Amino acid sequence: RKLDNQSAEVDALISLGLAHFKAANHQSAVKLLEDALDMFQHLSADDASAHSAKALCLDHLGAVYSKVGKPDKAVTFYTMSLRVKKDIGDMTGEARCLVRIGLEFLLLDQLTRAFEAFTEALHMFERLEDDNGISICYENLGDTYMKMGEKKQAIFSYDRCLPIKVETWDKVGEAQCLDNLGLAHYSAGELQMAAEYYEQSLAIWRAEGDKNSLILCYESLGGVSFQLGEHTRSIECYVEYLKLSQEIGDKAADHEVLLRVGLSNAATFQHFIALQFLQQAITFYQDRQDKYSEALCLHHIGAVLGRLGNFEEGMAVLKQSLELRTESQDKLGIADCLQEMGLLCYNIADYPNARGRFEAAQRLLTETNDKASIATCTMHIGACYAALGQAKEAKQQLQTALMADVHSNWPGKVDCLTHLACVQTVLGEQGAVKSLTLALSHLRDKGNRVGEAGMLMQLASACGKLNDLPQALDHLEQCLELRKSVNDKKGQADALIKIVYIHSALRNLGHARHAYEECYALRVDSKDEAGQIECLNARALMAVHEGKMNEGITLHLEALKRLQKQNDTASLCEVLNNIGVCYALSGDYGNATPHLEEAQRLMQHLEQDAKEAKTLINMGSCACEQQDYDSAIDLYEKALLLCRSQVHGGDKAACQMNMGTVSMHLKDMDRAKVCYESALSLLSGHGDKVQEARCYHNLGTLLYSKSQTREAIGHFDNALQLFRASKDGRAAMMCLQCLKAAHMRLGDAFQASQMIHIMQELFSEEEVRFLVSELLLSLETAQQQGDNAAEAAVHIELADAQMDIDMVAAEAHAQKALLLRKTRNNKDGQAEAYVRLAHIKMLQGEHEHALEAFKRAGVALGEVWREGSRARVEIGADIALGLGSSYLWLQRYEEAVHVLVRCIHLHDELDDMEGAYECSNLLAMAYQRLGNIPKATEALRRGLGGELVSESDKMDRVA
């Protein structure tokens, strides 16, 4: 205070106050800074430097109060500083002050005032062209939207922040923004996108060496991966988390991570490892006397012990968990325990006991009104009924579970649909594929790639049972790509072996050979002996389809030799049956019959009626080929007896059809007719359309031979429709030839010429299929050369080609293109693939899914696309038009108006008048729905082309 210069004294007080602030002497800091503030009244009001110093002093006071947890006081001083900065024209200072005020309002949960402060600051930074300030505002606006629960708006703000962080080389800021985007997408339920952002931020934190941020990122990514079902990645993240927590000495949340690592290992069937982690976690909970968490951990330990086959020990541990939960009167926990006990009973095939536990849990849950848990319990009861062979009761329970008022995120939905599909297959209903498709869609929405791959395998199996081999193949190829993306080598091999079987059946032997080589290499690497034997059988099947019977027999015999060391009787039966079939196909019935008889004998011991019936059918075919028709009939009748318990009549129908064929050989036309009609009654409505079509054709042929031509035409026509629906062009042509001959016999030249015309039409469709086959060859070349970019481009072309004939195949190719472009991080390519998917969804009438795909296209294209090439702007315009159309269909008219106005501006930039006119007409529809007739009229005039287009030029548009 000895200083005469008051200005210098103020500066000294501010500096001293700041020093105390940094030393955490907050009380002293406030005293010194307030003393400095008092002295400003003695300084000249015209001294600009004094005003700047006063603003600085106020900022420091605000910062001190913010630090000591008094945000209301902080706001007071920041607001005073803001006024001073306005007086001296310090716009940068004003903007920064507004940001500080917004942050304090956030702490006070005054979200509207925080939003207003950040928005005002943003406008100032934009005028100043201050990129750093702009990015800070967008980041804080994102945080504000998150607190408001506006997840989509938060994502938009963070998306605007991210490119600035990238362009300014602010790596730490970029990683923080990516973390924010990960959290926002996670909160919005978009788990796959959340995982992608966390992966990107993880790479940056690792490069920066920031262990504190890295540990948080590992924890977040581990949690998202767990929920996606990507448990291998989840375990990797959590293990890294545990390593880092030991390094930095922060073990506060280790027990929670230990529990999650245990559950992830259990989900990947690493039950011994899971048990170790869970036992570490429970020790912590017991030390803390945390009864709730201890009961939860005991529950999971009991479940894992059950999976390890320790049924009694697992049940004992679950009883301990049940006791703790009963003590705390935790009804939901008690019900969970009862359900887990039910699952243990179910896994040891004690289905009545299992059902009893589930029903007890269901009664308890009814009191809690926990609809999701009730639905899960109902699903388990349905599974028990199914296991007990009570398919109709099972279906009723499963449908009740699905129809329950459960939120869309019910975790049991996929399992329930899968159980329902199995029951529908047993009942011979076609709904099985629909149920599995719904489950697949649900998994895709969740971004669960592992679950999606498993569901595609089940769908392929269901399509295979319906003889829809092209569709089954498509599902398997999608599954293979997904399993490659998550590096699941065992899963890849499992998909590839099925691809081999289907390509062999479709006579695509080059593709089959390529898939076989890839599969065999994977199984050799993993030392999977059983898998290698399966590959030998597949290779044998390929040899048979190539007409190399001796090679097929040799390979099957090698597989048989290796199987005899494995003690796997079920597989042994299958190989013996295959050897018998190979010998039969080569005409060596002397060797065929003993192998088939041995297979049948072993199957009798295993009580595998369905497989034994198929072997008997093969033996009957051998007898038929040797013209031993009486033996053939006897064998078919034995097979028919074994099929008596089947609800679905596939094998029963096969027996009846074969007996019909034998009866034709015996000239017993009446019996043949009865057999074919019995087969038809079994097949009708039960899904196997190819078998049904063949039966109609055989019956038509029989009636034609008996000169019952009109009746024959009806059956040929039914066969034709079914063959065309199953895309079997060759069989359809055969039916058309028969129909032409039948109409000619009746003297109906007009109908005969119609059949010729349809054959020509079918050929034109075949031309499209030829284009597809040519593109598939290009695809194979790209795959062999390892050119992912070319492969993705061909998939896009295939999607375009398939749209006219097979929408499902078109969607599959677009999905494959998307996966390949994600692998190469080709954002523009991803946008193009998403747009293609969106258009397909619109054509299918799935406008919600189309809207989501267009949005994802926009995210992939990024925020700076308008600065790119014309092609990028065109994609942006296409996305905007698609969004507008989707909003219109979904009756979200205000959003449609907003997007379509933007779209018109884009088409104007591109000088694309036709596009602008189309957007204008859509905009008019939106305005009309909103009741704004003047705006609608104005948009329609623009859509017509205003003064530029005369009515005679564009009559279609005028109309």
Side-chain angles (χ1 to χ4, degrees):
R1 288 187 175 275
K2 293 177 181 178
L3 292 171
D4 295 327
N5 188 328
Q6 288 183 324
S7 178
E9 188 175 346
V10 168
D11 289 344
L13 283 168
I14 292 172
S15 298
L16 195 55
L18 186 58
H20 277 284
F21 177 39
K22 288 180 178 176
N25 300 324
H26 300 125
Q27 194 171 351
S28 300
V30 168
K31 177 72 172 63
L32 289 162
L33 291 167
E34 285 182 343
D35 286 349
L37 194 61
D38 289 340
M39 292 189 68
F40 278 108
Q41 59 187 336
H42 304 300
L43 298 178
S44 170
D46 299 326
D47 187 350
S49 63
H51 286 294
S52 295
K54 184 178 180 181
L56 181 65
C57 184
L58 289 163
D59 283 342
H60 288 325
L61 272 166
V64 175
Y65 280 115
S66 179
K67 187 73 175 177
V68 298
K70 294 183 178 179
D72 49 342
K73 295 278 284 182
V75 168
T76 301
F77 285 104
Y78 285 141
T79 305
M80 291 165 67
S81 172
L82 182 65
R83 292 196 197 102
V84 175
K85 286 167 181 173
K86 279 184 179 176
D87 291 342
I88 61 175
D90 180 6
M91 189 185 287
T92 301
E94 278 185 70
R96 289 175 181 167
C97 212
L98 282 163
V99 170
R100 295 186 190 110
I101 290 168
L103 289 169
E104 299 309 318
F105 280 137
L106 266 185
L107 290 171
L108 290 165
D109 278 333
Q110 295 181 25
L111 303 181
T112 304
R113 297 180 75 179
F115 176 80
E116 289 167 355
F118 292 136
T119 304
E120 191 178 345
L122 175 63
H123 295 325
M124 286 184 175
F125 281 127
E126 285 175 338
R127 289 201 295 274
L128 291 163
E129 297 182 358
D130 182 340
D131 284 344
N132 186 50
I134 292 167
S135 69
I136 288 169
C137 288
Y138 274 124
E139 190 169 9
N140 287 321
L141 278 168
D143 294 345
T144 308
Y145 279 125
M146 283 293 284
K147 278 199 163 191
M148 289 175 166
E150 299 283 346
K151 310 294 189 305
K152 295 294 181 185
Q153 290 295 334
I155 290 167
F156 173 80
S157 296
Y158 292 139
D159 272 335
R160 297 297 296 269
C161 172
L162 184 60
I164 300 171
K165 298 288 187 186
V166 174
E167 288 167 10
T168 56
W169 289 90
D170 178 4
K171 284 302 191 183
V172 170
E174 182 184 347
Q176 288 170 339
C177 197
L178 288 164
D179 280 337
N180 288 335
L181 277 163
L183 178 60
H185 280 289
Y186 173 81
S187 302
E190 297 166 349
L191 300 182
Q192 189 58 53
M193 293 193 77
E196 289 171 13
Y197 282 117
Y198 281 132
E199 290 284 7
Q200 291 176 59
S201 71
L202 187 68
I204 298 172
W205 290 129
R206 199 184 287 121
E208 293 292 316
D210 185 338
K211 290 183 179 179
N212 288 310
S213 299
L214 194 57
I215 195 170
L216 291 172
C217 194
Y218 271 126
E219 186 178 13
S220 299
L221 182 56
V224 173
S225 300
F226 182 87
Q227 290 194 43
L228 283 169
E230 296 179 5
H231 296 290
T232 303
R233 184 62 178 137
S234 175
I235 292 166
E236 289 170 358
C237 291
Y238 283 141
V239 167
E240 289 299 322
Y241 170 93
L242 291 169
K243 287 179 185 174
L244 282 168
S245 72
Q246 288 177 344
E247 286 179 30
I248 63 179
D250 177 15
K251 299 183 180 180
D254 280 7
H255 54 281
E256 292 179 18
V257 171
L258 287 166
L259 179 60
R260 291 180 208 164
V261 177
L263 296 177
S264 285
N265 275 290
T268 55
F269 307 105
Q270 302 294 323
H271 298 303
F272 282 111
I273 300 170
L275 197 57
Q276 291 168 17
F277 280 106
L278 291 170
Q279 285 168 341
Q280 288 180 61
I282 199 169
T283 303
F284 177 88
Y285 294 129
Q286 286 169 339
D287 291 344
R288 284 181 55 183
Q289 294 188 332
D290 180 349
K291 298 292 184 184
Y292 176 83
S293 300
E294 183 185 349
L296 178 66
C297 215
L298 282 166
H299 177 123
H300 292 306
I301 289 170
V304 169
L305 286 167
R307 305 296 184 277
L308 286 168
N310 301 334
F311 172 76
E312 290 181 3
E313 192 179 348
M315 191 63 82
V317 173
L318 282 169
K319 283 176 181 175
Q320 290 178 49
S321 175
L322 188 62
E323 286 169 11
L324 286 171
R325 285 168 162 173
T326 304
E327 283 174 23
S328 60
Q329 296 182 334
D330 176 9
K331 287 186 179 180
L332 282 174
I334 294 167
D336 282 346
C337 257
L338 287 167
Q339 287 200 74
E340 196 61 59
M341 288 173 170
L343 288 170
L344 253 64
C345 293
Y346 184 91
N347 289 336
I348 61 165
D350 184 359
Y351 303 122
N353 237 328
R355 199 181 86 198
R357 303 274 185 178
F358 292 134
E359 287 172 345
Q362 188 183 51
R363 286 192 295 273
L364 198 61
L365 287 166
T366 305
E367 297 173 22
T368 67
N369 200 31
D370 182 344
K371 291 175 180 175
S373 296
I374 293 168
T376 302
C377 221
T378 308
M379 173 189 73
H380 289 320
I381 293 166
C384 289
Y385 274 120
L388 290 164
Q390 296 169 265
K392 289 180 180 177
E393 291 83 352
K395 181 183 173 184
Q396 184 182 359
Q397 292 287 336
L398 294 166
Q399 287 180 331
T400 302
L402 286 168
M403 288 188 291
D405 184 20
V406 182
H407 52 80
S408 59
N409 291 327
W410 176 43
K413 188 172 184 179
V414 171
D415 286 341
C416 196
L417 285 164
T418 307
H419 281 305
L420 180 60
C422 293
V423 171
Q424 287 168 323
T425 302
V426 170
L427 292 169
E429 296 176 358
Q430 293 184 41
V433 170
K434 184 180 178 182
S435 296
L436 292 172
T437 305
L438 282 170
L440 178 67
S441 175
H442 189 72
L443 288 164
R444 277 184 177 155
D445 290 345
K446 293 291 178 188
N448 184 343
R449 289 183 290 176
V450 175
E452 186 183 341
M455 191 54 61
L456 284 163
M457 286 284 279
Q458 292 191 60
L459 258 172
S461 176
C463 290
K465 286 175 183 175
L466 297 176
N467 271 328
D468 190 351
L469 297 184
Q471 189 60 62
L473 182 62
D474 188 68
H475 290 314
L476 288 168
E477 286 174 344
Q478 288 182 63
C479 170
L480 180 62
E481 292 302 322
L482 280 167
R483 286 178 168 172
K484 283 180 178 178
S485 73
V486 296
N487 198 31
D488 177 4
K489 293 189 176 179
K490 183 184 182 305
Q492 289 173 48
D494 292 343
L496 282 162
I497 197 69
K498 293 188 183 299
I499 288 171
V500 172
Y501 286 129
I502 292 180
H503 273 310
S504 298
L506 293 170
R507 302 296 194 273
N508 302 331
L509 299 176
H511 292 298
R513 205 173 298 111
H514 177 76
Y516 162 79
E517 288 165 1
E518 194 177 345
C519 178
Y520 192 73
L522 284 167
R523 286 181 164 171
V524 169
D525 286 345
S526 62
K527 298 178 181 176
D528 179 359
E529 177 66 16
Q532 290 173 45
I533 294 169
E534 189 180 18
C535 283
L536 277 175
N537 284 321
R539 182 70 189 88
L541 186 66
M542 286 160 54
V544 170
H545 285 304
E546 288 174 307
K548 300 172 183 176
M549 297 302 166
N550 290 335
E551 184 184 337
I553 291 165
T554 303
L555 287 163
H556 274 315
L557 288 170
E558 173 62 23
L560 183 66
K561 184 179 174 183
R562 290 171 70 171
L563 264 175
Q564 285 164 341
K565 299 174 186 176
Q566 296 286 314
N567 194 29
D568 182 354
T569 310
S571 298
L572 200 64
C573 292
E574 193 173 338
V575 173
L576 283 164
N577 178 72
N578 291 344
I579 292 169
V581 171
C582 281
Y583 276 124
L585 289 170
S586 64
D588 186 353
Y589 301 108
N591 268 318
T593 302
H595 283 92
L596 291 170
E597 286 173 347
E598 177 64 11
Q600 189 220 348
R601 185 184 66 78
L602 290 171
M603 285 172 185
Q604 283 178 327
H605 290 299
L606 292 173
E607 296 183 354
Q608 292 188 339
D609 288 358
K611 289 188 176 180
E612 186 184 350
K614 291 182 193 300
T615 303
L616 284 166
I617 291 169
N618 290 334
M619 290 166 71
S621 299
C622 285
C624 188
E625 290 293 332
Q626 295 174 84
Q627 299 183 4
D628 184 357
Y629 299 124
D630 291 335
S631 294
I633 290 281
D634 183 53
L635 287 162
Y636 291 140
E637 285 178 341
K638 284 181 181 176
L640 197 57
L641 281 171
L642 287 171
C643 299
R644 65 187 178 279
S645 62
Q646 288 185 3
V647 182
H648 170 33
D651 290 337
K652 286 192 265 189
C655 291
Q656 293 285 8
M657 278 181 68
N658 285 329
M659 285 197 287
T661 303
V662 172
S663 299
M664 291 269 285
H665 285 299
L666 293 169
K667 308 298 182 188
D668 187 347
M669 297 303 178
D670 291 335
R671 183 177 182 181
K673 185 171 182 284
V674 169
C675 288
Y676 285 137
E677 286 173 346
S678 297
L680 268 178
S681 67
L682 288 164
L683 287 166
S684 180
H686 288 300
D688 190 345
K689 294 301 176 187
V690 173
Q691 192 84 320
E692 190 179 348
R694 287 173 183 159
C695 200
Y696 272 122
H697 188 271
N698 288 354
L699 190 52
T701 304
L702 184 149
L703 293 168
Y704 186 86
S705 68
K706 292 178 72 177
S707 298
Q708 296 176 13
T709 310
R710 292 189 187 282
E711 292 87 339
I713 285 173
H715 291 303
F716 286 139
D717 193 52
N718 287 334
L720 173 64
Q721 304 312 318
L722 290 167
F723 279 131
R724 291 195 73 177
S726 62
K727 302 180 182 65
D728 189 341
R730 188 175 299 174
M733 285 285 196
M734 175 182 69
C735 285
L736 286 163
Q737 291 282 6
C738 292
L739 281 163
K740 184 189 76 171
H743 286 302
M744 289 294 286
R745 177 190 275 181
L746 293 172
D748 192 339
F750 175 75
Q751 284 295 335
S753 67
Q754 284 292 98
M755 295 305 106
I756 295 168
H757 179 66
I758 294 170
M759 280 191 257
Q760 290 169 340
E761 279 186 351
L762 189 62
F763 180 74
S764 67
E765 187 176 299
E766 289 297 312
E767 285 182 326
V768 177
R769 297 191 186 283
F770 177 75
L771 170 62
V772 170
S773 67
E774 289 292 303
L775 286 169
L776 287 170
L777 288 173
S778 302
L779 183 65
E780 186 179 0
T781 304
Q783 288 170 336
Q784 287 171 349
Q785 293 172 350
D787 187 348
N788 285 356
E791 187 180 347
V794 176
H795 276 305
I796 289 290
E797 287 184 66
L798 278 163
D800 292 338
Q802 293 275 30
M803 269 194 219
D804 292 329
I805 58 172
D806 190 340
M807 204 66 77
V808 175
E811 182 181 353
H813 284 296
Q815 287 280 8
K816 288 173 189 172
L818 179 62
L819 278 170
L820 286 164
R821 285 168 171 177
K822 278 186 176 179
T823 304
R824 294 176 61 85
N825 200 28
N826 177 356
K827 296 292 185 183
D828 288 5
Q830 289 175 45
E832 184 187 20
Y834 274 127
V835 168
R836 209 59 105 259
L837 278 169
H839 285 309
I840 291 166
K841 289 296 180 188
M842 287 190 81
L843 288 169
Q844 291 173 323
E846 296 179 22
H847 300 290
E848 283 282 6
H849 287 108
L851 178 63
E852 186 59 32
F854 280 123
K855 284 182 178 179
R856 285 175 179 265
V859 171
L861 202 59
E863 287 299 320
V864 294
W865 56 271
R866 290 184 67 174
E867 298 169 18
S869 64
R870 180 183 174 87
R872 296 193 85 207
V873 179
E874 285 174 347
I875 294 174
D878 196 6
I879 292 168
L881 180 60
L883 284 167
S885 301
S886 298
Y887 282 132
L888 262 177
W889 274 102
L890 295 168
Q891 299 180 16
R892 292 161 64 175
Y893 302 122
E894 289 181 355
E895 290 162 289
V897 166
H898 176 73
V899 173
L900 289 167
V901 167
R902 223 175 87 207
C903 188
I904 291 168
H905 291 319
L906 289 173
H907 285 292
D908 286 342
E909 279 181 34
L910 292 164
D911 291 325
D912 177 13
M913 292 301 100
E914 290 294 324
Y917 298 151
E918 184 181 359
C919 286
S920 297
N921 284 324
L922 290 172
L923 180 61
M925 288 169 66
Y927 277 130
Q928 182 196 355
R929 301 296 190 277
L930 288 169
N932 192 336
I933 304 304
K935 283 281 188 183
T937 307
E938 182 184 334
L940 282 170
R941 290 190 186 283
R942 172 68 197 271
L944 184 63
E947 299 298 318
L948 301 176
V949 181
S950 66
E951 291 189 1
S952 59
D953 288 334
K954 295 285 182 183
M955 286 307 296
D956 57 340
R957 184 178 295 144
V958 176

